[in-house]
Amino acid sequence: MLDVTVIEDPEAAAASLDPIRGRLLAELAAGPASAAMLAGKVGLPRQKVNYHLKSLERHGLVELAGERRKGNVTERLMRATAASYVISPLALASVQPDPDRFRDQLSARWMLALGARLVRDVGSLITGATKARKRLATFALDGEVRFASAADRAAFVQELTAGVSALIRKYDAPDSEDGRDHRIVVAVHPTVKDQQPTREIDAQ
């Protein structure tokens, strides 16, 4: 099972957003289970759970983990293909954000557009690398800082911009025939407190 995978297909995205199927994905991320086992956990008939599982399987969100005999019946044990999922902007390709439409380093919406492009591009790279059975060369840095004042935050941003710009100038080799372009995204935003998502669904 992958830790996280990206959903690029619109129909797969729609399937994952269904509350019942989302609950089933969460249950199957914890371990393999059959439709009968899941029925008791989500409060739905086994036949209805099986219907949802088939849809999730068709879109590659769950897969067969094994089979077991229970009386005269052979149960299919399903598992999630990933512990968590991210929906790529490619699932809404005609209206996906385009950070090139405008540039405003102080705009939260432009930052959001950059983040969406990051999800889209890295998701596509992961898909390609997986098909080619190759490793993907990436690096990410994550941290938190508490600024004493808005002035300190502004000074930090100024120094950060100068430092990253200097590194880009130092290592950029636009004339290198064997080189490969890399995108750099740096963002600074207020920390959001963790929110626990609800797992309650209405029985249908």
Side-chain angles (χ1 to χ4, degrees), residues 104-132:
D104 182 355
Q105 291 179 308
L106 300 180
S107 168
R109 297 187 186 280
W110 187 62
M111 180 187 292
L112 191 62
L114 287 175
R117 184 177 64 187
L118 180 66
V119 171
R120 181 199 68 191
D121 291 353
V122 175
S124 295
L125 289 168
I126 289 174
T127 299
T130 301
K131 290 180 179 179

PDB file of all heavy atoms in Angstrom, residues 104-132:
ATOM      1  N   ASP A 104       1.289  37.512  -8.037  1.00  0.00           N
ATOM      2  CA  ASP A 104       1.213  38.417  -6.893  1.00  0.00           C
ATOM      3  C   ASP A 104       1.739  37.663  -5.682  1.00  0.00           C
ATOM      4  O   ASP A 104       1.044  36.830  -5.100  1.00  0.00           O
ATOM      5  CB  ASP A 104      -0.234  38.865  -6.655  1.00  0.00           C
ATOM      6  CG  ASP A 104      -0.348  39.860  -5.504  1.00  0.00           C
ATOM      7  OD1 ASP A 104       0.672  40.124  -4.829  1.00  0.00           O
ATOM      8  OD2 ASP A 104      -1.455  40.369  -5.283  1.00  0.00           O
ATOM      9  N   GLN A 105       2.982  37.936  -5.318  1.00  0.00           N
ATOM     10  CA  GLN A 105       3.625  37.196  -4.245  1.00  0.00           C
ATOM     11  C   GLN A 105       2.939  37.372  -2.894  1.00  0.00           C
ATOM     12  O   GLN A 105       3.143  36.576  -1.978  1.00  0.00           O
ATOM     13  CB  GLN A 105       5.095  37.610  -4.132  1.00  0.00           C
ATOM     14  CG  GLN A 105       5.935  37.153  -5.320  1.00  0.00           C
ATOM     15  CD  GLN A 105       7.378  37.597  -5.190  1.00  0.00           C
ATOM     16  OE1 GLN A 105       7.660  38.776  -4.960  1.00  0.00           O
ATOM     17  NE2 GLN A 105       8.295  36.661  -5.317  1.00  0.00           N
ATOM     18  N   LEU A 106       2.121  38.382  -2.754  1.00  0.00           N
ATOM     19  CA  LEU A 106       1.430  38.620  -1.491  1.00  0.00           C
ATOM     20  C   LEU A 106      -0.024  38.145  -1.520  1.00  0.00           C
ATOM     21  O   LEU A 106      -0.773  38.394  -0.584  1.00  0.00           O
ATOM     22  CB  LEU A 106       1.477  40.116  -1.140  1.00  0.00           C
ATOM     23  CG  LEU A 106       2.880  40.713  -0.971  1.00  0.00           C
ATOM     24  CD1 LEU A 106       2.785  42.197  -0.622  1.00  0.00           C
ATOM     25  CD2 LEU A 106       3.673  39.960   0.088  1.00  0.00           C
ATOM     26  N   SER A 107      -0.397  37.467  -2.594  1.00  0.00           N
ATOM     27  CA  SER A 107      -1.776  36.990  -2.739  1.00  0.00           C
ATOM     28  C   SER A 107      -1.893  35.546  -2.261  1.00  0.00           C
ATOM     29  O   SER A 107      -1.187  34.654  -2.743  1.00  0.00           O
ATOM     30  CB  SER A 107      -2.222  37.082  -4.198  1.00  0.00           C
ATOM     31  OG  SER A 107      -3.430  36.376  -4.394  1.00  0.00           O
ATOM     32  N   ALA A 108      -2.804  35.313  -1.311  1.00  0.00           N
ATOM     33  CA  ALA A 108      -3.041  33.949  -0.837  1.00  0.00           C
ATOM     34  C   ALA A 108      -3.632  33.088  -1.947  1.00  0.00           C
ATOM     35  O   ALA A 108      -3.377  31.879  -2.016  1.00  0.00           O
ATOM     36  CB  ALA A 108      -3.973  33.976   0.370  1.00  0.00           C
ATOM     37  N   ARG A 109      -4.415  33.697  -2.837  1.00  0.00           N
ATOM     38  CA  ARG A 109      -5.029  32.932  -3.922  1.00  0.00           C
ATOM     39  C   ARG A 109      -3.977  32.516  -4.957  1.00  0.00           C
ATOM     40  O   ARG A 109      -4.077  31.441  -5.556  1.00  0.00           O
ATOM     41  CB  ARG A 109      -6.159  33.735  -4.569  1.00  0.00           C
ATOM     42  CG  ARG A 109      -7.297  34.013  -3.595  1.00  0.00           C
ATOM     43  CD  ARG A 109      -8.498  34.668  -4.249  1.00  0.00           C
ATOM     44  NE  ARG A 109      -9.487  35.035  -3.250  1.00  0.00           N
ATOM     45  CZ  ARG A 109     -10.355  34.207  -2.698  1.00  0.00           C
ATOM     46  NH1 ARG A 109     -10.357  32.935  -3.065  1.00  0.00           N
ATOM     47  NH2 ARG A 109     -11.211  34.620  -1.785  1.00  0.00           N
ATOM     48  N   TRP A 110      -2.977  33.380  -5.168  1.00  0.00           N
ATOM     49  CA  TRP A 110      -1.894  32.985  -6.076  1.00  0.00           C
ATOM     50  C   TRP A 110      -1.097  31.839  -5.454  1.00  0.00           C
ATOM     51  O   TRP A 110      -0.687  30.908  -6.140  1.00  0.00           O
ATOM     52  CB  TRP A 110      -0.973  34.175  -6.371  1.00  0.00           C
ATOM     53  CG  TRP A 110       0.046  33.862  -7.428  1.00  0.00           C
ATOM     54  CD1 TRP A 110      -0.196  33.519  -8.728  1.00  0.00           C
ATOM     55  CD2 TRP A 110       1.472  33.848  -7.285  1.00  0.00           C
ATOM     56  NE1 TRP A 110       0.984  33.300  -9.407  1.00  0.00           N
ATOM     57  CE2 TRP A 110       2.023  33.494  -8.539  1.00  0.00           C
ATOM     58  CE3 TRP A 110       2.332  34.116  -6.219  1.00  0.00           C
ATOM     59  CZ2 TRP A 110       3.397  33.392  -8.750  1.00  0.00           C
ATOM     60  CZ3 TRP A 110       3.706  34.014  -6.433  1.00  0.00           C
ATOM     61  CH2 TRP A 110       4.225  33.654  -7.681  1.00  0.00           C
ATOM     62  N   MET A 111      -0.890  31.887  -4.121  1.00  0.00           N
ATOM     63  CA  MET A 111      -0.221  30.782  -3.435  1.00  0.00           C
ATOM     64  C   MET A 111      -1.004  29.491  -3.607  1.00  0.00           C
ATOM     65  O   MET A 111      -0.439  28.414  -3.822  1.00  0.00           O
ATOM     66  CB  MET A 111      -0.055  31.103  -1.949  1.00  0.00           C
ATOM     67  CG  MET A 111       0.631  29.993  -1.156  1.00  0.00           C
ATOM     68  SD  MET A 111       0.630  30.290   0.633  1.00  0.00           S
ATOM     69  CE  MET A 111       1.724  31.705   0.739  1.00  0.00           C
ATOM     70  N   LEU A 112      -2.337  29.599  -3.525  1.00  0.00           N
ATOM     71  CA  LEU A 112      -3.185  28.432  -3.714  1.00  0.00           C
ATOM     72  C   LEU A 112      -3.036  27.872  -5.123  1.00  0.00           C
ATOM     73  O   LEU A 112      -2.989  26.653  -5.329  1.00  0.00           O
ATOM     74  CB  LEU A 112      -4.640  28.802  -3.442  1.00  0.00           C
ATOM     75  CG  LEU A 112      -5.648  27.655  -3.336  1.00  0.00           C
ATOM     76  CD1 LEU A 112      -5.307  26.739  -2.173  1.00  0.00           C
ATOM     77  CD2 LEU A 112      -7.055  28.210  -3.181  1.00  0.00           C
ATOM     78  N   ALA A 113      -2.958  28.747  -6.114  1.00  0.00           N
ATOM     79  CA  ALA A 113      -2.767  28.308  -7.496  1.00  0.00           C
ATOM     80  C   ALA A 113      -1.419  27.606  -7.658  1.00  0.00           C
ATOM     81  O   ALA A 113      -1.308  26.603  -8.371  1.00  0.00           O
ATOM     82  CB  ALA A 113      -2.872  29.503  -8.450  1.00  0.00           C
ATOM     83  N   LEU A 114      -0.393  28.120  -6.977  1.00  0.00           N
ATOM     84  CA  LEU A 114       0.920  27.472  -7.012  1.00  0.00           C
ATOM     85  C   LEU A 114       0.850  26.085  -6.386  1.00  0.00           C
ATOM     86  O   LEU A 114       1.423  25.120  -6.901  1.00  0.00           O
ATOM     87  CB  LEU A 114       1.952  28.324  -6.266  1.00  0.00           C
ATOM     88  CG  LEU A 114       2.421  29.613  -6.942  1.00  0.00           C
ATOM     89  CD1 LEU A 114       3.350  30.380  -5.990  1.00  0.00           C
ATOM     90  CD2 LEU A 114       3.151  29.313  -8.249  1.00  0.00           C
ATOM     91  N   GLY A 115       0.140  25.997  -5.248  1.00  0.00           N
ATOM     92  CA  GLY A 115       0.002  24.709  -4.589  1.00  0.00           C
ATOM     93  C   GLY A 115      -0.730  23.703  -5.453  1.00  0.00           C
ATOM     94  O   GLY A 115      -0.366  22.530  -5.503  1.00  0.00           O
ATOM     95  N   ALA A 116      -1.760  24.175  -6.155  1.00  0.00           N
ATOM     96  CA  ALA A 116      -2.516  23.290  -7.049  1.00  0.00           C
ATOM     97  C   ALA A 116      -1.626  22.792  -8.183  1.00  0.00           C
ATOM     98  O   ALA A 116      -1.678  21.613  -8.549  1.00  0.00           O
ATOM     99  CB  ALA A 116      -3.732  24.029  -7.602  1.00  0.00           C
ATOM    100  N   ARG A 117      -0.819  23.685  -8.734  1.00  0.00           N
ATOM    101  CA  ARG A 117       0.097  23.259  -9.804  1.00  0.00           C
ATOM    102  C   ARG A 117       1.114  22.258  -9.274  1.00  0.00           C
ATOM    103  O   ARG A 117       1.489  21.304  -9.969  1.00  0.00           O
ATOM    104  CB  ARG A 117       0.814  24.472 -10.403  1.00  0.00           C
ATOM    105  CG  ARG A 117       1.714  24.094 -11.593  1.00  0.00           C
ATOM    106  CD  ARG A 117       2.359  25.315 -12.227  1.00  0.00           C
ATOM    107  NE  ARG A 117       3.259  25.977 -11.295  1.00  0.00           N
ATOM    108  CZ  ARG A 117       3.852  27.147 -11.555  1.00  0.00           C
ATOM    109  NH1 ARG A 117       3.612  27.772 -12.700  1.00  0.00           N
ATOM    110  NH2 ARG A 117       4.666  27.692 -10.670  1.00  0.00           N
ATOM    111  N   LEU A 118       1.555  22.450  -8.033  1.00  0.00           N
ATOM    112  CA  LEU A 118       2.500  21.518  -7.425  1.00  0.00           C
ATOM    113  C   LEU A 118       1.891  20.130  -7.318  1.00  0.00           C
ATOM    114  O   LEU A 118       2.529  19.125  -7.663  1.00  0.00           O
ATOM    115  CB  LEU A 118       2.915  22.031  -6.045  1.00  0.00           C
ATOM    116  CG  LEU A 118       3.916  21.183  -5.262  1.00  0.00           C
ATOM    117  CD1 LEU A 118       5.270  21.172  -5.958  1.00  0.00           C
ATOM    118  CD2 LEU A 118       4.059  21.707  -3.836  1.00  0.00           C
ATOM    119  N   VAL A 119       0.646  20.058  -6.852  1.00  0.00           N
ATOM    120  CA  VAL A 119      -0.046  18.771  -6.756  1.00  0.00           C
ATOM    121  C   VAL A 119      -0.188  18.146  -8.139  1.00  0.00           C
ATOM    122  O   VAL A 119       0.055  16.947  -8.328  1.00  0.00           O
ATOM    123  CB  VAL A 119      -1.428  18.952  -6.105  1.00  0.00           C
ATOM    124  CG1 VAL A 119      -2.246  17.671  -6.207  1.00  0.00           C
ATOM    125  CG2 VAL A 119      -1.277  19.362  -4.643  1.00  0.00           C
ATOM    126  N   ARG A 120      -0.590  18.957  -9.114  1.00  0.00           N
ATOM    127  CA  ARG A 120      -0.781  18.446 -10.478  1.00  0.00           C
ATOM    128  C   ARG A 120       0.518  17.903 -11.052  1.00  0.00           C
ATOM    129  O   ARG A 120       0.582  16.771 -11.549  1.00  0.00           O
ATOM    130  CB  ARG A 120      -1.319  19.554 -11.376  1.00  0.00           C
ATOM    131  CG  ARG A 120      -1.588  19.110 -12.826  1.00  0.00           C
ATOM    132  CD  ARG A 120      -1.671  20.322 -13.734  1.00  0.00           C
ATOM    133  NE  ARG A 120      -0.371  20.979 -13.872  1.00  0.00           N
ATOM    134  CZ  ARG A 120      -0.194  22.186 -14.429  1.00  0.00           C
ATOM    135  NH1 ARG A 120      -1.245  22.863 -14.860  1.00  0.00           N
ATOM    136  NH2 ARG A 120       1.009  22.706 -14.530  1.00  0.00           N
ATOM    137  N   ASP A 121       1.580  18.705 -10.987  1.00  0.00           N
ATOM    138  CA  ASP A 121       2.843  18.326 -11.622  1.00  0.00           C
ATOM    139  C   ASP A 121       3.500  17.136 -10.931  1.00  0.00           C
ATOM    140  O   ASP A 121       3.959  16.196 -11.589  1.00  0.00           O
ATOM    141  CB  ASP A 121       3.796  19.518 -11.646  1.00  0.00           C
ATOM    142  CG  ASP A 121       3.346  20.615 -12.592  1.00  0.00           C
ATOM    143  OD1 ASP A 121       2.358  20.394 -13.321  1.00  0.00           O
ATOM    144  OD2 ASP A 121       3.957  21.701 -12.597  1.00  0.00           O
ATOM    145  N   VAL A 122       3.562  17.182  -9.601  1.00  0.00           N
ATOM    146  CA  VAL A 122       4.198  16.077  -8.882  1.00  0.00           C
ATOM    147  C   VAL A 122       3.366  14.803  -9.031  1.00  0.00           C
ATOM    148  O   VAL A 122       3.917  13.704  -9.165  1.00  0.00           O
ATOM    149  CB  VAL A 122       4.406  16.433  -7.402  1.00  0.00           C
ATOM    150  CG1 VAL A 122       4.966  15.236  -6.631  1.00  0.00           C
ATOM    151  CG2 VAL A 122       5.365  17.610  -7.269  1.00  0.00           C
ATOM    152  N   GLY A 123       2.037  14.951  -9.042  1.00  0.00           N
ATOM    153  CA  GLY A 123       1.192  13.786  -9.265  1.00  0.00           C
ATOM    154  C   GLY A 123       1.468  13.145 -10.612  1.00  0.00           C
ATOM    155  O   GLY A 123       1.575  11.917 -10.724  1.00  0.00           O
ATOM    156  N   SER A 124       1.604  13.967 -11.652  1.00  0.00           N
ATOM    157  CA  SER A 124       1.900  13.441 -12.985  1.00  0.00           C
ATOM    158  C   SER A 124       3.285  12.800 -13.030  1.00  0.00           C
ATOM    159  O   SER A 124       3.477  11.755 -13.669  1.00  0.00           O
ATOM    160  CB  SER A 124       1.819  14.571 -14.019  1.00  0.00           C
ATOM    161  OG  SER A 124       0.502  15.075 -14.113  1.00  0.00           O
ATOM    162  N   LEU A 125       4.247  13.402 -12.341  1.00  0.00           N
ATOM    163  CA  LEU A 125       5.594  12.831 -12.292  1.00  0.00           C
ATOM    164  C   LEU A 125       5.595  11.479 -11.584  1.00  0.00           C
ATOM    165  O   LEU A 125       6.277  10.542 -12.008  1.00  0.00           O
ATOM    166  CB  LEU A 125       6.547  13.796 -11.582  1.00  0.00           C
ATOM    167  CG  LEU A 125       6.913  15.070 -12.354  1.00  0.00           C
ATOM    168  CD1 LEU A 125       7.621  16.062 -11.442  1.00  0.00           C
ATOM    169  CD2 LEU A 125       7.800  14.731 -13.554  1.00  0.00           C
ATOM    170  N   ILE A 126       4.825  11.386 -10.492  1.00  0.00           N
ATOM    171  CA  ILE A 126       4.731  10.112  -9.770  1.00  0.00           C
ATOM    172  C   ILE A 126       4.116   9.039 -10.664  1.00  0.00           C
ATOM    173  O   ILE A 126       4.599   7.902 -10.716  1.00  0.00           O
ATOM    174  CB  ILE A 126       3.898  10.281  -8.489  1.00  0.00           C
ATOM    175  CG1 ILE A 126       4.683  11.103  -7.457  1.00  0.00           C
ATOM    176  CG2 ILE A 126       3.513   8.930  -7.899  1.00  0.00           C
ATOM    177  CD1 ILE A 126       3.884  11.439  -6.218  1.00  0.00           C
ATOM    178  N   THR A 127       3.058   9.410 -11.385  1.00  0.00           N
ATOM    179  CA  THR A 127       2.413   8.461 -12.285  1.00  0.00           C
ATOM    180  C   THR A 127       3.387   7.965 -13.344  1.00  0.00           C
ATOM    181  O   THR A 127       3.486   6.754 -13.605  1.00  0.00           O
ATOM    182  CB  THR A 127       1.193   9.104 -12.969  1.00  0.00           C
ATOM    183  OG1 THR A 127       0.241   9.504 -11.969  1.00  0.00           O
ATOM    184  CG2 THR A 127       0.533   8.133 -13.928  1.00  0.00           C
ATOM    185  N   GLY A 128       4.134   8.895 -13.943  1.00  0.00           N
ATOM    186  CA  GLY A 128       5.103   8.515 -14.968  1.00  0.00           C
ATOM    187  C   GLY A 128       6.238   7.675 -14.414  1.00  0.00           C
ATOM    188  O   GLY A 128       6.655   6.686 -15.037  1.00  0.00           O
ATOM    189  N   ALA A 129       6.751   8.055 -13.249  1.00  0.00           N
ATOM    190  CA  ALA A 129       7.853   7.309 -12.646  1.00  0.00           C
ATOM    191  C   ALA A 129       7.421   5.905 -12.247  1.00  0.00           C
ATOM    192  O   ALA A 129       8.191   4.946 -12.370  1.00  0.00           O
ATOM    193  CB  ALA A 129       8.384   8.065 -11.429  1.00  0.00           C
ATOM    194  N   THR A 130       6.172   5.784 -11.782  1.00  0.00           N
ATOM    195  CA  THR A 130       5.660   4.468 -11.399  1.00  0.00           C
ATOM    196  C   THR A 130       5.552   3.559 -12.608  1.00  0.00           C
ATOM    197  O   THR A 130       5.939   2.381 -12.553  1.00  0.00           O
ATOM    198  CB  THR A 130       4.281   4.601 -10.726  1.00  0.00           C
ATOM    199  OG1 THR A 130       4.408   5.429  -9.565  1.00  0.00           O
ATOM    200  CG2 THR A 130       3.748   3.245 -10.319  1.00  0.00           C
ATOM    201  N   LYS A 131       5.044   4.097 -13.706  1.00  0.00           N
ATOM    202  CA  LYS A 131       4.927   3.289 -14.927  1.00  0.00           C
ATOM    203  C   LYS A 131       6.293   2.881 -15.452  1.00  0.00           C
ATOM    204  O   LYS A 131       6.473   1.775 -15.964  1.00  0.00           O
ATOM    205  CB  LYS A 131       4.168   4.071 -15.996  1.00  0.00           C
ATOM    206  CG  LYS A 131       2.689   4.257 -15.693  1.00  0.00           C
ATOM    207  CD  LYS A 131       2.004   5.041 -16.793  1.00  0.00           C
ATOM    208  CE  LYS A 131       0.515   5.213 -16.497  1.00  0.00           C
ATOM    209  NZ  LYS A 131      -0.165   6.011 -17.559  1.00  0.00           N
ATOM    210  N   ALA A 132       7.283   3.780 -15.336  1.00  0.00           N
ATOM    211  CA  ALA A 132       8.628   3.495 -15.821  1.00  0.00           C
ATOM    212  C   ALA A 132       9.463   2.727 -14.797  1.00  0.00           C
ATOM    213  O   ALA A 132      10.604   2.362 -15.069  1.00  0.00           O
ATOM    214  CB  ALA A 132       9.340   4.798 -16.180  1.00  0.00           C
TER     215      ALA A 132
END
